[in-house]
């Protein structure tokens, strides 16, 4: 069964600090891994997307890494800002014709001043 | 390019009623997926439509149904509403597959009293 597990479930950090969120998956065959940011009450917004051959992708202060061998990904946020407070969702898609996605439960990040 | 739009944004219904939610995808996108998100829960996949056909379906009862029109706009319908149907309903569009980069709408917040 395809699964995506994220850790930690929640995280509190001080403004300006860095943090790393984890995502482990068992989706097969693998197509891509995406990270989304979701503000409370809003739709998720895409941060990065990585295919099998990519092991790092950056989007401003967000850097995602992918280790396809261990089936792990991380999202690193540098110099956190109050606006980074949100839920971060890891999504992994399979390589079937329909490209079915499996969603993680998300990590809730709170950045405090 | 206009983003994904969903209407209405907020809806209040009573138990037993039915509701129809609408989603207009990004121009050129042919895959439209629907998700349910309840407080503290991850996104739960409802179904995906492509070229007016339901291609994938999640584990929801038959009270949840949908359709897609020739212009890729999609609607989802929930009949005989239950209190547990209160949730944020998100629509996402992508070019061809649910596993491609998805662009989410702002969601429809449904409250069932």
């Amino acid at each position: 069964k395809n699964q995506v597990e994220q850790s930690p479930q929640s995280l509190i950090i001080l403004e300006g600090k860095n943090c790393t969120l984890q995502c482990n998956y068992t989706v097969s065959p693998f197509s891509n891994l995406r990270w989304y940011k979701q503000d409370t009450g809003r739709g998720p917004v895409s941060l990065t997307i990585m295919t099998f051959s990519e092991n790092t992708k950056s989007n401003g202060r967000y850097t995602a890494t992918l280790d396809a061998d261990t089936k792990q990904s991380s999202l690193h946020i540098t110099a956190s800002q109050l606006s980074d407070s949100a839920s971060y969702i890891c999504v992994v898609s399979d390589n079937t014709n329909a490209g079915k996605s499996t969603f993680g439960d998300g990590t809730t990040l709170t950045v405090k001043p | 390019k206009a983003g994904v739009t969903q209407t209405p944004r907020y809806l209040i219904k009573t138990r037993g009623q039915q509701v129809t939610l609408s989603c207009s995808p990004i121009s050129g996108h042919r895959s439209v997926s629907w998700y349910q998100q309840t407080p503290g829960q991850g996104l739960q996949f409802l179904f995906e439509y492509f070229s007016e056909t339901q291609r994938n379906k999640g584990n929801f009862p038959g009270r949840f149904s949908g359709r897609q029109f020739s212009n890729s706009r999609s609607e989802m319908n929930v009949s005989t509403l239950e209190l547990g149907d209160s949730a944020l309903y998100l629509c996402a569009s992508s070019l061809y597959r649910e596993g491609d980069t998805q662009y989410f709408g702002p969601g429809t917040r449904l409250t069932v009293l």
Side-chain angles (χ1 to χ4, degrees), chain B residues 3-8 20-34 47-54 65-77 91-94 108:
Chain B
V4 178
T5 58
Q6 291 186 246
T7 57
T20 299
L21 312 181
S22 180
C23 171
S24 292
I26 290 174
S27 177
H29 285 193
R30 295 169 63 186
S31 170
V32 175
S33 301
W34 289 89
F47 29 65
E48 184 224 2
Y49 284 87
F50 179 83
S51 290
E52 303 177 63
T53 301
Q54 187 180 88
S65 63
R67 60 177 175 168
Q68 186 180 35
F69 302 94
S70 59
N71 61 359
S72 293
R73 189 177 71 85
S74 177
E75 290 181 347
M76 69 162 279
N77 183 276
C91 160
S93 78
S94 54
T108 293

Side-chain angles (χ1 to χ4, degrees), chain A residues 32 34 38 49 96 99 101, chain B residues 37 56 97-99 101-102 105:
Chain A
N32 64 61
R34 316 191 295 275
Q38 184 179 22
I49 177 170
T96 60
S101 295
Chain B
Q37 188 175 40
N56 273 314
R97 304 186 312 168
E98 191 242 352
T101 296
Q102 292 174 298

Side-chain angles (χ1 to χ4, degrees), chain B residues 18-19 28 60 81 89 92:
Chain B
Q18 75 162 20
V19 67
F60 278 81
L81 285 166
Y89 289 88

Side-chain angles (χ1 to χ4, degrees), chain A residues 43-69:
Chain A
V45 174
S46 178
L47 293 174
T48 63
I49 177 170
M50 289 181 291
T51 58
F52 185 86
S53 59
E54 298 172 297
N55 55 22
T56 187
K57 184 76 70 81
S58 291
N59 179 356
R61 294 179 297 101
Y62 302 99
T63 299
T65 64
L66 172 65
D67 186 332
D69 291 331

Side-chain angles (χ1 to χ4, degrees), chain A residues 31-32 34 36 38 43-44 49 89 93 96-101 103, chain B residues 35 37 42-43 45 56 90 97-102 104-106 109:
Chain A
S31 176
N32 64 61
R34 316 191 295 275
Y36 288 89
Q38 184 179 22
I49 177 170
I89 303 169
S93 295
T96 60
N97 286 338
K100 185 82 169 60
S101 295
F103 285 73
Chain B
Y35 302 88
Q37 188 175 40
L43 277 76
F45 173 72
N56 273 314
L90 291 161
R97 304 186 312 168
E98 191 242 352
D100 295 333
T101 296
Q102 292 174 298
F104 283 83
R109 171 73 63 187

